[in-house]
Amino acid sequence: MRTTQYLVATLKETPSDAVLTSHQLMLRAGLIRKLAAAAGLYSWLPTGLKVLRKVEGIVREEMERAGAQEILMPMVQPADLWEESGRWAQFGPELLRIKDRHDREFCLGPTHEEVVTAIIRDEIRSYKQLPANFFQIQTKFRDETRPRFGVMRAREFLMKDAYSFHVDEQSLEETYQRMYQAYCNIFDRLGLEYRAVLADTGAIGGNASHEFHVLADSGEDAIAFSDASDYAANVEKAEAAAPTIQRPAATRELTKEATPNCESVEQLTQHFNCDAQQILKTLLVEGATEEHPLVAICLRGDHQLNEIKAEKHPLIKAPLTLASEQQITSIAASKAGYIGPVNLNLAIIVDRDAAVMADFICGANATGEHYNGANWERDATISEVYDLRNVVEGDNAPDGKGKLTIKRGIEVGHIFQLGTKYSEAMNANVLNEQGKAVTLAMGCYGVGVSRIVAAAIEQNHDDYGIIWPDAIAPFTVAIVPMNMHRSHRVQEAAEQLYASLSEQGIEVIFDDRKERPGVMFADMELMGVPHRIVISDKGIDQGTFEYKSRRTNEKVDVAMADAVDFLNQKLAL
Amino acid sequence: MRTTQYLVATLKETPSDAVLTSHQLMLRAGLIRKLAAAAGLYSWLPTGLKVLRKVEGIVREEMERAGAQEILMPMVQPADLWEESGRWAQFGPELLRIKDRHDREFCLGPTHEEVVTAIIRDEIRSYKQLPANFFQIQTKFRDETRPRFGVMRAREFLMKDAYSFHVDEQSLEETYQRMYQAYCNIFDRLGLEYRAVLADTGAIGGNASHEFHVLADSGEDAIAFSDASDYAANVEKAEAAAPTIQRPAATRELTKEATPNCESVEQLTQHFNCDAQQILKTLLVEGATEEHPLVAICLRGDHQLNEIKAEKHPLIKAPLTLASEQQITSIAASKAGYIGPVNLNLAIIVDRDAAVMADFICGANATGEHYNGANWERDATISEVYDLRNVVEGDNAPDGKGKLTIKRGIEVGHIFQLGTKYSEAMNANVLNEQGKAVTLAMGCYGVGVSRIVAAAIEQNHDDYGIIWPDAIAPFTVAIVPMNMHRSHRVQEAAEQLYASLSEQGIEVIFDDRKERPGVMFADMELMGVPHRIVISDKGIDQGTFEYKSRRTNEKVDVAMADAVDFLNQKLAL
């Protein structure tokens, strides 16, 4: 592609309304444009669409390789189907509801469980046609209340959604594993660092679910993963491994000390000149039962409470609610910071790591006083040991293999064993081998195709712009001729190289604009073209072109005659 | 693809709500399904989507070859932009209007002139960036009042729309020609018989416009085209060539005859025992001016009035309105069937062919009487000679080359020189070479991608089902093994052939279901697979497979060892 015949559309200034790096770079590199004053609606310009189509292509190939069949369902969906599943009422205002000219109700599809279930209940009648797996790559719409971050959280976006159908859970599990592998293949081929993360199945109640996260410092989610196994989980959901040590025997007497103005762990560590690991934190929260209006939660001083885990405990009220000052004083003559388990007449739920502490410091249930040398059993009672804390960097992985690292991630994929949630509501059955009607088991599998483009940039950029992985670069090679419009030699060499590379199917952007070298370099770096060849009179005098790698900044002079081979070698890496 | 791992979805019965052949066959061959009770919304099943993607692929390649750059604009468009162009008010209820959660107005895009103009007025500032041509392939929505004929007139459909931008009309004309050629390439490659048809530019007022029609008996439009040149036009708009003969001299006296009950041309030909070509029809219609409240129109008896042409005459009121009985009796004591030009005190507008008649029969402006031997000038006055009639088969082509044939066509493409209609309303300017701001000239170019699939079927089918052109067949070769589940030899031969063909990238459907041969044959014929190989024990005994062409019904036995070469030859044709 010649830049004179192409909408380069790079911007020098960073648009003021873009805060996220990928959003800024997608605007500056000419990948997308916001549609007039409409928040969350973007047009994909040629450079952006090239990347999007490459991502789409890889996703499609891996879906087909996994045995999924491509279909295309309508974007506009009748309300009737959503009423069958019960989601017409459940879904919030993100579901854009529409009335047609005959005043019938529809929505713009944010997802297609209802539609695909309606198709399959008519088309598939027998176990012989199962398992079956269908995918589509389609524009979706979610009427986000506050669309932001460019295509990262847009209203209109491109999704790959797949839905699998099974006669039983075992078949679902098999396809789920196959799709898990297909997702790994996709992100491997995209050239992105990612983690498959165990996800919470709470709301939908299926058996298993994984999120796929592209790692990037700007990610919304913190991901904990093992340095020695495939284990990865959202920090919010990651199990803290059981401590490997036994609780040491008590070695100290229980003593009470005056601790004025010591309401935080930090103040206590200073006061006692000790480590936070020696301090036991006690929180009072509202209980879930009449018998236990308040419940005590104990954690080691250096650990943070994980609310999602706490809320799963049957005695603890969800959403988690800290006891009010009034509730606390009904128990003890103490501020919140001086509560401790000694002589506390409540259910005391203790984190696993807190339960193996000995000779610890804790509140004495009286403002301005703490105990030192406290020990479980001897001085305080444990009602139950429970996983209550967020994992931290360096924790043992809960699968017993390696230690946890924590990084931030951007969710770009989600796979889910739905079970019979939709098929039951919508009466989708098949005859099994025994001729008996059984409810279909379903899986669903999403990839945020347009979001991947933004996530790839979050992970791959520097101060000069985007650094595309080769597999999804809009162009693989940039040819930048110096003063081509004045040097016939440079022009001829550039045209020849352009022709040779194009002939081999290599995607080249040939900057034939009458621009200063600095402008051309800046544009090609901003656009993230992985491999750059500079052609100049000076180089031609020496019989060489200059090669530069966008990612490594490696710069080499390459003999003109070897340039095509050299690039082919680089591309094969 | 193995049929056991594929949603074949063929139907034995023709769904009762489908009247058009392509609609019936798309349902029966498992290409599409209607979405629940929602009219005009279809899901594309795997077989249909394969065809759709092939059409899409050919369209994309030819657009790129013509220098158009692919982009992707939002489907949901803000009302503001449509207000700028004035179409928010003009567009009828086909424009589906939406309110988002913040009560802002949007529509679901049926077309993208406004959006693309808004993008380009910001991105392109100088003539140096022009000409530029952008296309997208995208789902569109038109809220048809009565969606019907399957995907032929659906509410949601796949379009390729392209928009070109120019500094002047000459550049627009050049790109228009290039796109015209690209469209010809598309339909050539699709393997469809089509015509590019001159279209009316009335409403939008551009300079030129062509429609591309796939020829099929069920087409909504009648197309007249030359047997000796590229000339083609919608019959509604085709010019009737000027007669090549001079008006003969009068040879008969004007006589008046009693003609009771002769109000139609047919009755007159019987009464006079003559040809319809000897009869002059006269119609009274309302005039467009106060001076001429009624106007007479004269046509040869065998010709039909073309209302669109008549309405273009400045004296004739549009829409065309026949004179009432009362209006006629104010002129003559005559029923409508007895009106004629002799002594008629009105403007008399005469079709070109009627103007070269001599010694003709016409109404005598008195009920029950006609003249015979009438002649222009001597007996009646011509106010103006004008092209007023529909062309008929056998007419000379208006370009002077060959004779007209008339066939029916389905409109699948439309290209248009828009001029400045949108750029002016939306203030889209560029600086020209002289540094002066000029309004952009625009062209737009549409292809109905999903409609092409239906049109291809209308043109290519028989009693057994679809007959795909190779280029858009969902599968190129069908392997149908006989009793494979009982014959190990058949199974082995089928698997081997399947592997060999697949290895060469040939798209094969391998019918490995446990079905009766009749069912398999019927399904493959219904689905229109162009080339079929039957593998049987009997054949293997003779060392042959049976080949059959879906289109020609040619059947040959092919040596097993030669089958791959044989098929490759067939596919290369």
Side-chain angles (χ1 to χ4, degrees), chain A residues 278-289:
Chain A
Q278 273 181 264
I279 293 161
L280 183 86
K281 282 198 286 203
T282 306
L283 302 168
L284 298 189
V285 299
E286 292 190 9
T289 62

Side-chain angles (χ1 to χ4, degrees), chain A residues 33 44 72 75 123 156, chain B residues 33 44 72 75 123 156:
Chain A
R33 285 296 182 267
W44 292 79
L72 183 62
M75 181 162 162
E123 298 303 325
E156 206 173 304
Chain B
R33 284 295 182 268
W44 291 78
L72 184 62
M75 182 164 161
E123 299 303 326
E156 207 173 303

Side-chain angles (χ1 to χ4, degrees), chain A residues 85-398:
Chain A
S85 75
R87 288 209 290 185
W88 189 253
Q90 285 163 21
F91 227 94
E94 303 84 49
L95 187 67
L96 186 64
R97 289 157 170 94
I98 307 174
K99 281 190 180 171
D100 76 356
R101 65 191 293 162
H102 303 299
D103 238 24
R104 287 193 211 97
E105 286 195 298
F106 292 85
C107 66
L108 268 196
T111 180
H112 278 70
E113 282 84 2
E114 284 81 0
V115 174
V116 77
T117 306
I119 295 171
I120 295 308
R121 74 179 162 189
D122 287 340
E123 298 303 325
I124 291 189
R125 301 298 178 84
S126 156
Y127 73 96
K128 289 183 202 163
Q129 296 170 277
L130 295 176
N133 190 358
F134 301 95
F135 77 101
Q136 61 175 355
I137 298 178
Q138 188 191 41
T139 300
K140 302 271 195 254
F141 197 93
R142 280 181 70 95
D143 199 1
E144 297 279 354
T145 178
R146 207 163 70 84
R148 58 194 182 281
F149 305 147
V151 300
M152 194 75 95
R153 192 173 292 278
R155 293 203 279 183
E156 206 173 304
F157 53 96
L158 193 65
M159 275 274 291
K160 185 284 296 175
D161 46 330
Y163 307 90
S164 69
F165 297 86
H166 309 271
V167 74
D168 56 31
E169 293 286 328
Q170 190 197 323
S171 164
L172 167 57
E173 172 68 26
E174 283 164 16
T175 295
Y176 184 85
Q177 288 308 329
R178 209 169 165 186
M179 291 297 270
Y180 181 101
Q181 187 54 51
Y183 274 50
C184 293
N185 296 346
I186 288 168
F187 295 107
D188 285 340
R189 285 183 61 189
L190 290 171
L192 298 177
E193 204 188 344
Y194 70 96
R195 289 292 182 283
V197 169
L198 267 171
D200 195 15
T201 56
I204 308 195
N207 297 328
S209 174
H210 284 87
E211 295 167 2
F212 286 77
H213 285 258
V214 166
L215 301 183
D217 294 340
S218 62
E220 282 191 313
D221 298 291
I223 309 297
F225 54 92
S226 166
D227 57 6
S229 78
D230 278 347
Y231 178 82
N234 204 303
V235 164
E236 284 184 350
K237 292 152 200 165
E239 185 191 346
T244 48
I245 59 161
Q246 297 288 320
R247 185 194 306 144
T251 63
R252 297 185 54 166
E253 294 291 299
L254 185 70
T255 58
K256 198 187 273 186
E257 285 195 24
T259 51
N261 303 318
C262 284
E263 293 182 43
S264 71
V265 171
E266 203 191 342
Q267 290 163 331
L268 283 168
T269 56
Q270 282 172 9
H271 179 93
F272 286 98
N273 190 25
C274 73
D275 208 89
Q277 297 196 8
Q278 273 181 264
I279 293 161
L280 183 86
K281 282 198 286 203
T282 306
L283 302 168
L284 298 189
V285 299
E286 292 190 9
T289 62
E290 266 182 49
E291 212 181 331
H292 297 281
L294 286 182
V295 173
I297 289 175
C298 294
L299 293 157
R300 212 168 71 185
D302 58 331
H303 286 155
Q304 298 301 321
L305 175 66
N306 181 307
E307 298 192 11
I308 293 172
K309 291 179 181 178
E311 287 167 359
K312 285 192 180 154
H313 193 284
L315 289 185
I316 298 173
K317 193 178 115 182
L320 193 88
T321 313
L322 288 174
S324 66
E325 208 170 314
Q326 206 177 357
Q327 286 172 314
I328 295 172
T329 49
S330 76
I331 299 291
S334 167
K335 282 193 184 172
Y338 293 93
I339 295 293
V342 180
N343 298 322
L344 186 65
N345 191 22
L346 290 177
I348 299 175
I349 303 170
V350 181
D351 180 64
R352 289 163 165 183
D353 285 274
V356 295
M357 290 168 73
D359 300 333
F360 53 81
I361 294 158
C362 63
N365 298 322
T367 298
E369 292 185 335
H370 275 86
Y371 285 116
N372 198 349
N375 281 279
W376 293 117
E377 287 177 24
R378 188 190 73 185
D379 308 319
T381 312
I382 293 177
S383 306
E384 192 178 345
V385 176
Y386 203 74
D387 177 18
L388 284 171
R389 68 171 176 94
N390 280 337
V391 294
V392 294
E393 186 110 8
D395 273 353
N396 288 324

Side-chain angles (χ1 to χ4, degrees), chain B residues 88 118 134 173 190 200 203 208 259-260 266 275 278 285 289 294 342 347-348 352 369-370 419 437 450 546:
Chain B
W88 189 254
F134 301 95
E173 171 68 24
L190 289 171
D200 195 15
T259 52
E266 204 192 340
D275 208 87
Q278 274 180 261
V285 299
T289 62
L294 285 183
V342 180
I348 298 176
R352 289 164 165 183
E369 291 185 333
H370 275 85
S450 43
E546 181 200 89

Side-chain angles (χ1 to χ4, degrees), chain B residues 419-488:
Chain B
T420 58
K421 178 181 161 70
Y422 294 93
S423 43
E424 204 171 301
M426 298 181 67
N427 205 18
N429 305 316
V430 280
L431 297 180
N432 69 10
E433 220 164 335
Q434 288 75 44
K436 202 187 129 211
V438 293
T439 305
L440 282 165
M442 284 175 64
C444 74
Y445 316 89
V447 167
V449 178
S450 43
R451 183 178 251 223
I452 283 175
V453 178
I457 295 173
E458 289 295 334
Q459 192 179 85
N460 297 278
H461 66 267
D462 63 12
D463 290 348
Y464 302 100
I466 301 167
I467 307 173
W468 291 115
D470 279 24
I472 55 175
F475 300 98
T476 321
V477 175
I479 297 177
V480 184
M482 303 287 92
N483 299 313
M484 181 175 94
H485 299 274
R486 268 171 293 178
S487 165
H488 181 66

